Amino acid sequence: MKFEKNILCIGAGYVGGPTMAMIAYKCPQYRVTVVDINPARIAEWNSEGLPVYEPGLEEIIKATRGKNLFFSTDIEGGIRDNDIIFVSVNTPTKTFGAGAGMAADLQYWEKTARQILDFSKSSKIVIEKSTLPVKTALAMEQILNLTKNSVTFDVLSNPEFLAEGSAIKDLENPDRILIGSRETKSGLAARDTLISIYANWVPRERIITSNIWSSELSKIVANAFLAQRISSINSISALCEKTDADITEVARAVGMDSRIGAKFLNASVGFGGSCFKKDILNLVYLCQHYGLQDVADYWESVVRINQFQQERFILNMLTTMFNTLADKKICLFGFAFKANTGDTRESPALYIAKRLLEEKADVVISDPKALKNARVDLAGIKGKITFEEDPYRAATGCHAIAVLTEWDEYRKLDYKKIYDTMITPASIFDGRNIIDHKRCFAIGFNVYPTGKPAMTHA
Ligand code: NAD
Ligand code: UGA
């Protein structure tokens, strides 16, 4: 069958897989191929056990895989045969050398650029999907311009704004699609080609365009603003606990101001995920690079407050449980960094688990989707760790429960049944404010919400 467009995505991760599945689903007239250097990941995408858990993803994959969506390890063939190439490789924080712990590690990005250069036999549109420091497109253009034949490349920035756990909904109905391009004739033509892909399902007024640097920077700034809201509310949650104010009431009152808005004001044990911290630190590094130390300090404080919130959670457990957690059995409800995903990257639960193990607690980890990743994350770490998917069995014989992921099922549990199997005094630390605190207190628990007065029987 002849397809209208042949699209490639390099990088079959949390972004590449779902994003391309959505394009294939909405555009049966296009052939979409996703390639990756990791053969195990590609094998998973071609199997029943997808490497990424996202509500609705399986259905879309079933409808498209083998028809107009293909997963492959043939990067060379993919580059040769496709004219529109999305690049969605990982851009983690650098762990070595200059900028270690802050700057983006662009090694995967650069390798991809060189692969595109080496294997291209015809002109291409290359689209940055990964989150990148502002001005990265320039580096991409410089590498691609090393070409020795008449092949030409147009580089576009098209950052992805999906959130994990709601990726399919976000992709199907995005707030906006942002496309940054050069203002040249071919840059604008490339931009129009990309617009025509999204226009298959996204209303035209939500597809916005900008210059390429604004587009790259907007992505990082959007994440920084979102994370800043969480750190702002979390900082106030600490003050609430000192003053008997209630963070949910404060967030409601503040968020009803239409200039502020109600979203992203849920106090928590801290934000996690592979991107917020990485992207803010990248912003901090960029500001430092351009000599803007005050701006860098301002944004770095968002990360500092997030660390403070996680450590505060542990210290609260320690002090309220008689200043020792040694040999106490503590159950973690949730290990994913947020609900509806199995992703555990930078999950606050990982930090909490490690700190509890340092305190020599006996840690039981429960999660409906993230236990596979949790096992990998905690492999080789010393201490008593048990993994148990069933929350009732997980809490049995425990001194305390820490609610760390806002999974809906944790709201609905029979906490009386759980309490009856625990060691008393039994405590519950709600790092997400999702359980019924009054009811749990009435059952007999000592209840420690986030940003609200504690409810204790002592
Ligand atoms: P990921 O680690 O899940 O996936 C990246 C994939 O790229 C991996 O499978 C890796 O093997 C592959 N890869 C690396 N180098 C390669 C190469 N040279 N050739 C082929 N494949 C290669 O990462 P992710 O979560 O999908 O994130 C990708 C990018 O998207 C990052 O820049 C991230 O900041 C950004 N982003 C992520 C999210 C999210 O929700 N996870 C949302 C928006 C943007
Ligand atoms: C975030 C952004 O929301 C996406 O727009 C962006 O594309 C993505 O990062 C990225 O660049 O990777 P994600 O990290 O998947 O998405 O999930 P969020 O819903 O933003 O949650 C991030 C963290 O903040 C989670 O740990 C969540 O539990 C926490 N959070 C969120 C709070 O603690 N309180 C809130 O009110 C909201």
Side-chain angles (χ1 to χ4, degrees):
M1 172 172 172
K2 178 120 179 57
F3 289 94
E4 243 177 64
K5 286 186 174 49
N6 291 305
I7 296 172
L8 178 75
C9 178
I10 303 180
Y14 285 85
V15 169
T19 313
M20 293 304 121
M22 184 57 70
I23 293 180
Y25 184 64
K26 294 291 183 184
C27 315
Q29 72 277 26
Y30 304 158
R31 188 181 200 279
V32 181
T33 307
V34 188
V35 292
D36 202 287
I37 33 165
N38 180 347
R41 203 159 222 194
I42 290 298
E44 284 179 320
W45 279 112
N46 282 321
S47 77
E48 294 303 301
L50 301 180
V52 169
Y53 171 73
E54 277 293 339
L57 177 63
E58 225 173 78
E59 290 80 349
I60 289 186
I61 294 282
K62 274 203 182 111
T64 51
R65 195 172 54 192
K67 296 190 184 108
N68 69 329
L69 176 67
F70 303 89
F71 293 93
S72 155
T73 49
D74 181 9
I75 297 174
E76 178 172 351
I79 292 171
R80 199 186 49 228
D81 299 341
N82 292 277
D83 300 332
I84 300 171
I85 304 178
F86 288 86
V87 182
S88 182
V89 299
N90 38 327
T91 51
T93 304
K94 217 176 156 195
T95 53
F96 54 88
M102 282 219 162
D105 183 348
L106 295 175
Q107 59 171 309
Y108 309 102
W109 176 256
E110 180 173 343
K111 272 179 200 138
T112 311
R114 290 186 185 278
Q115 283 170 326
I116 295 174
L117 174 68
D118 291 346
F119 302 139
S120 289
K121 304 253 182 294
S122 57
S123 296
K124 315 278 179 201
I125 297 174
V126 179
I127 305 156
E128 298 178 342
K129 234 324 153 215
S130 302
T131 304
L132 295 158
V134 58
K135 291 276 171 179
T136 304
L138 190 61
M140 179 63 117
E141 286 170 350
Q142 282 167 350
I143 293 172
L144 294 176
N145 283 337
L146 298 171
T147 181
K148 294 194 183 65
N149 50 33
S150 58
V151 169
T152 60
F153 298 93
D154 282 293
V155 179
L156 299 175
S157 161
N158 170 220
E160 183 50 59
F161 295 102
L162 70 79
E164 289 181 32
S166 57
I168 299 304
K169 218 172 77 229
D170 298 340
L171 288 167
E172 190 147 35
N173 190 20
D175 285 351
R176 76 308 206 181
I177 295 290
L178 175 58
I179 302 173
S181 68
R182 290 287 198 176
E183 303 282 311
T184 57
K185 196 168 165 225
S186 70
L188 294 175
R191 184 190 78 181
D192 289 345
T193 301
L194 187 53
I195 290 175
S196 74
I197 295 175
Y198 285 111
N200 281 288
W201 78 96
V202 180
R204 186 61 188 80
E205 63 278 10
R206 284 200 230 154
I207 306 176
I208 59 171
T209 58
S210 72
N211 85 36
I212 200 160
W213 320 125
S214 308
S215 173
E216 288 179 330
L217 186 58
S218 300
K219 168 65 200 177
I220 291 184
V221 172
N223 273 0
F225 272 50
L226 289 168
Q228 179 205 43
R229 280 176 75 91
I230 303 169
S231 278
S232 297
I233 202 74
N234 281 345
S235 71
I236 300 302
S237 77
L239 185 59
C240 284
E241 285 166 34
K242 300 275 184 211
T243 57
D244 288 346
D246 180 321
I247 195 65
T248 308
E249 294 176 353
V250 173
R252 189 185 58 196
V254 171
M256 275 179 78
D257 185 325
S258 60
R259 292 168 304 174
I260 296 173
K263 291 182 182 163
F264 262 67
L265 289 181
N266 293 322
S268 67
V269 59
F271 61 74
S274 62
C275 293
F276 276 177
K277 186 173 162 197
K278 141 178 114 64
D279 293 345
I280 296 176
L281 291 176
N282 185 207
L283 180 63
V284 170
Y285 185 74
L286 277 170
C287 294
Q288 286 174 345
H289 172 80
Y290 289 107
L292 301 167
Q293 190 58 46
D294 292 311
V295 185
D297 291 346
Y298 173 71
W299 286 107
E300 196 169 12
S301 72
V302 173
V303 175
R304 268 205 312 275
I305 288 287
N306 198 48
Q307 188 56 39
F308 159 78
Q309 189 74 348
Q310 295 176 45
E311 185 58 22
R312 209 166 72 71
F313 189 85
I314 281 289
L315 293 181
N316 192 29
M317 290 182 94
L318 184 64
T319 49
T320 56
M321 292 174 74
F322 312 116
N323 287 309
T324 174
L325 298 174
D327 292 329
K328 284 188 180 147
K329 209 168 164 191
I330 295 175
C331 173
L332 307 190
F333 275 3
F335 204 82
F337 81 96
K338 63 181 285 197
N340 297 319
T341 175
D343 194 350
T344 59
R345 290 178 292 179
E346 297 289 339
S347 177
L350 183 54
Y351 177 78
I352 302 292
K354 285 182 178 164
R355 286 287 288 107
L356 289 173
L357 291 165
E358 272 171 30
E359 295 292 342
K360 303 211 179 301
D362 184 345
V363 180
V364 186
I365 294 169
S366 192
D367 191 288
K369 294 286 176 202
L371 287 192
K372 190 173 159 204
N373 282 332
R375 281 194 175 88
V376 175
D377 295 336
L378 294 168
I381 292 184
K382 276 201 193 123
K384 284 193 208 150
I385 314 172
T386 318
F387 299 92
E388 171 55 65
E389 191 174 322
D390 180 82
Y392 293 98
R393 276 204 295 272
T396 301
C398 286
H399 296 75
I401 295 170
V403 182
L404 299 182
T405 311
E406 69 278 33
W407 285 105
D408 218 22
E409 53 210 90
Y410 296 145
R411 298 174 207 266
K412 300 176 190 151
L413 296 174
D414 180 346
Y415 281 95
K416 170 80 176 89
K417 187 170 153 194
I418 289 176
Y419 180 80
D420 288 342
T421 65
M422 291 178 66
I423 291 173
T424 51
S427 300
I428 190 153
F429 297 86
D430 190 353
R432 296 290 185 171
N433 286 340
I434 55 165
I435 59 167
D436 184 338
H437 300 139
K438 282 191 185 136
R439 166 138 179 77
C440 284
F441 177 65
I443 288 168
F445 281 105
N446 287 331
V447 183
Y448 301 94
T450 302
K452 296 167 192 266
M455 303 162 90
T456 62
H457 295 279

